[in-house]
Amino acid sequence: MYLYILFFTCLLITLFSLRKFKDIFAPACIICEMFTISSLFAIVSAKFVNTDISIKTCIYLPAQLIVSIFVASLIKNHKKRTELEKQADVISISRWKYALLLTAVALLTAVYCAFYLREILISDGASFTQKMASMRQRSITEGLGIPRAVIYILKITTSFAYFSSYIFIHNMLVKKKSRRKCKHNLIYLWSVVFLVASSLITGARAELIYFIVYVVIVFTLVRSKLTYKKFTFKSLIKPALALAAALALFYLSSFIIGRTSDSFMRLISTYFGSPIIALDRFLAEPKTFDLWGKEAFYSVMHFFDRLGLIKGDVGSIHAEYVYINGEIYTNVYTAFRAYIIDFGVAGSFVLQALMILIYEHFYGKCKFSKNQLGHVNVKFIVYGLISHAIFLHFYGNYFYGQIISSHIAIMIVLIFAYAAILSGKKQKKIGKTEWQVSRA
């Protein structure tokens, strides 16, 4: 009963946000859209486990969405108009430097995959997928025998894939809009192949989800600078079809890495709907930690712990499980559990408002600033890099817990380094050492 009320309330708030901001990718709209989808799947998931939520959750979640819309409206991005860049040129970079970096990334990816393949082969299980599942379980309970230096390889290869895919998307859209020729653009996709390989060999799909979100955001930002499209509710059809296709691929990938025996609907509804039901159980009996910031700022606390600045237990990224009818249900509670644990219910609204304020301001700087195309725009890349936090806000505490971290800081530094090393000067003619544009 209450889950239906929550769904229709979230749906109305989402429709209001879309009408107000006229942008399905505005941060506040994304959060409203994803919680509406999550509440819909929560209805399905609740049917499988025969449960419901309380009136408290029906009030708390819509209130957070309303706060998000109110704070976003203060930035006034919805009153601005995007400046089109009709003379945008493709990005020119040094060919030989990129070839050297790509070769290095390929070798590092091979080393990374070799270490994880060894861990899979020594794990228990009759088939490769069973061994992979066993390896993932060992990584949680006892850890793997992989040197930290090898783990840092992923930061180098992933950041390079983000950098390269931005150039590919930029040049592809500029080429399409201006009808110009752009040679060697497909070379930028090799780093994406390496990213997919390194992600699948670990049995983890999170990095692939982050990357898909990144591609969607960067594609949208670059296209908005080239073509103006008026928002209509009919424009929601393509994103809805893309989401359905993504869900199907997500389910199929579960068989590859040996992580499911459930039906399609049960698996998807559990992933998307269980966080709301788990949050409801938490709101019924909220708790606090003895160490402030232990869950909300998980990555920062662990960084301080490695430096020896904090003593004692600094927590785990894995929360305790919720049991329904005596069976394990989930251990993800949306982002709000971490907020409430460290700051209380009132403080959770402050954290939500601050996050929206940061994302809306950053989004506005990307979408409405001039002279954004024709060069390596690190601003677009960084915004795309951190965008998964708002898409997955319904699932967990990604902004304060993961985006504010040394991992993301290193990724950003690497992206700046790639831009500094590879960015070439624009030339009127096609040089032998530059991938440049030519008029059709």
Side-chain angles (χ1 to χ4, degrees):
M1 175 64 181
Y2 286 122
L3 276 170
Y4 287 97
I5 295 174
L6 176 64
F7 167 68
F8 285 110
T9 305
C10 290
L11 179 62
L12 290 174
I13 294 173
T14 299
L15 294 175
F16 173 79
S17 70
L18 291 172
R19 184 176 179 83
K20 182 175 181 61
F21 298 108
K22 296 179 173 61
D23 184 355
I24 62 174
F25 291 108
C29 291
I30 290 174
I31 288 177
C32 291
E33 291 155 9
M34 296 310 297
F35 268 104
T36 300
I37 295 171
S38 179
S39 61
L40 175 61
F41 280 110
I43 294 174
V44 179
S45 183
K47 295 292 185 181
F48 284 111
V49 295
N50 191 26
T51 190
D52 200 354
I53 61 172
S54 66
I55 188 65
K56 185 182 293 185
T57 308
C58 287
I59 296 173
Y60 178 79
L61 282 181
Q64 287 284 13
L65 300 186
I66 292 171
V67 167
S68 300
I69 294 172
F70 173 75
V71 173
S73 65
L74 298 178
I75 305 297
K76 299 182 179 179
N77 281 340
H78 59 290
K79 294 185 178 181
K80 300 176 184 177
R81 185 178 178 85
T82 304
E83 295 285 341
L84 298 183
E85 300 185 21
K86 298 181 181 180
Q87 301 300 321
D89 216 345
V90 297
I91 295 171
S92 168
I93 65 170
S94 172
R95 181 192 299 182
W96 69 270
K97 289 181 181 178
Y98 186 86
L100 285 176
L101 280 175
L102 184 62
T103 303
V105 166
L107 293 174
L108 289 173
T109 302
V111 171
Y112 182 86
C113 291
F115 272 91
Y116 270 93
L117 183 60
R118 184 195 66 180
E119 293 294 329
I120 293 172
L121 294 177
I122 64 174
S123 299
D124 297 329
S127 64
F128 185 81
T129 55
Q130 290 176 347
K131 287 178 176 291
M132 183 177 289
S134 175
M135 182 271 291
R136 284 188 51 80
Q137 187 62 34
R138 283 196 302 114
S139 68
I140 297 173
T141 57
E142 59 188 75
L144 303 176
I146 297 178
R148 181 170 291 275
V150 174
I151 296 175
Y152 274 98
I153 287 176
L154 190 62
K155 302 181 193 299
I156 299 173
T157 58
T158 302
S159 57
F160 192 71
Y162 278 70
F163 178 86
S164 299
S165 57
Y166 167 76
I167 299 178
F168 173 81
I169 293 169
H170 176 283
N171 289 354
M172 178 187 67
L173 292 175
V174 169
K175 171 188 172 184
K176 181 180 179 181
K177 178 65 178 178
S178 59
R179 295 182 180 179
R180 297 170 179 173
K181 294 180 180 179
C182 181
K183 296 182 179 180
H184 310 292
N185 203 34
L186 290 177
I187 194 70
Y188 300 117
L189 292 181
W190 277 109
S191 60
V192 178
V193 174
F194 301 150
L195 172 63
V196 172
S198 60
S199 297
L200 291 180
I201 198 68
T202 62
R205 293 166 292 183
E207 200 62 53
L208 294 180
I209 294 173
Y210 304 160
F211 184 74
I212 291 172
V213 170
Y214 167 83
V215 169
V216 170
I217 291 296
V218 168
F219 181 91
T220 302
L221 286 173
V222 174
R223 189 179 63 174
S224 71
K225 305 299 290 185
L226 295 170
T227 306
Y228 175 74
K229 289 191 175 183
K230 185 178 180 181
F231 171 78
T232 62
F233 284 102
K234 185 183 287 188
S235 61
L236 296 174
I237 296 176
K238 287 184 179 179
L241 293 175
L243 176 62
L247 293 178
L249 288 174
F250 181 81
Y251 178 70
L252 292 175
S253 68
S254 300
F255 293 97
I256 298 175
I257 60 178
R259 295 185 63 183
T260 184
S261 58
D262 293 330
S263 65
F264 171 79
M265 189 54 67
R266 180 152 194 168
L267 178 77
I268 299 301
S269 65
T270 300
Y271 269 100
F272 276 81
S274 64
I276 288 179
I277 296 174
L279 177 66
D280 178 74
R281 298 296 191 273
F282 174 76
L283 289 174
E285 298 180 6
K287 67 176 185 177
T288 58
F289 283 145
D290 55 347
L291 181 63
W292 178 84
K294 190 173 182 178
E295 189 158 326
F297 298 97
Y298 166 81
S299 294
V300 174
M301 301 302 287
H302 274 255
F303 178 71
F304 288 159
D305 178 55
R306 290 197 299 270
L307 294 178
L309 300 177
I310 297 177
K311 303 296 182 181
D313 180 24
V314 291
S316 170
I317 195 171
H318 303 288
E320 67 274 8
Y321 281 97
V322 171
Y323 289 82
I324 296 181
N325 301 325
E327 297 183 359
I328 293 178
Y329 181 55
T330 186
N331 66 335
V332 290
Y333 298 75
T334 78
F336 299 122
R337 168 200 153 101
Y339 299 178
I340 295 171
I341 279 183
D342 288 322
F343 295 91
V345 173
S348 69
F349 285 94
V350 176
L351 286 179
Q352 179 72 4
L354 180 60
M355 186 194 75
I356 290 294
L357 197 66
I358 293 171
Y359 272 96
E360 285 288 345
H361 179 73
F362 199 172
Y363 181 69
K365 287 293 183 181
C366 290
K367 188 171 183 179
F368 303 111
S369 297
K370 297 180 181 179
N371 302 320
Q372 299 295 297
L373 303 184
H375 58 92
V376 176
N377 192 331
V378 177
K379 190 189 302 179
F380 278 21
I381 301 175
V382 173
Y383 181 76
L385 175 67
I386 67 174
S387 290
H388 66 268
I390 48 178
F391 275 88
L392 298 176
H393 200 59
F394 77 94
Y395 194 77
N397 173 33
Y398 286 87
F399 178 62
Y400 295 107
Q402 292 189 22
I403 299 300
I404 302 178
S405 66
S406 59
H407 169 70
I408 295 296
I410 292 171
M411 293 269 289
I412 293 173
V413 169
L414 287 170
I415 289 168
F416 270 102
Y418 296 141
I421 294 170
L422 297 172
S423 292
K425 294 182 179 179
K426 292 183 180 180
Q427 301 176 6
K428 293 182 180 179
K429 296 181 180 180
I430 303 175
K432 294 182 179 179
T433 61
E434 300 291 332
W435 281 322
Q436 186 68 4
V437 65
S438 64
R439 304 262 178 194

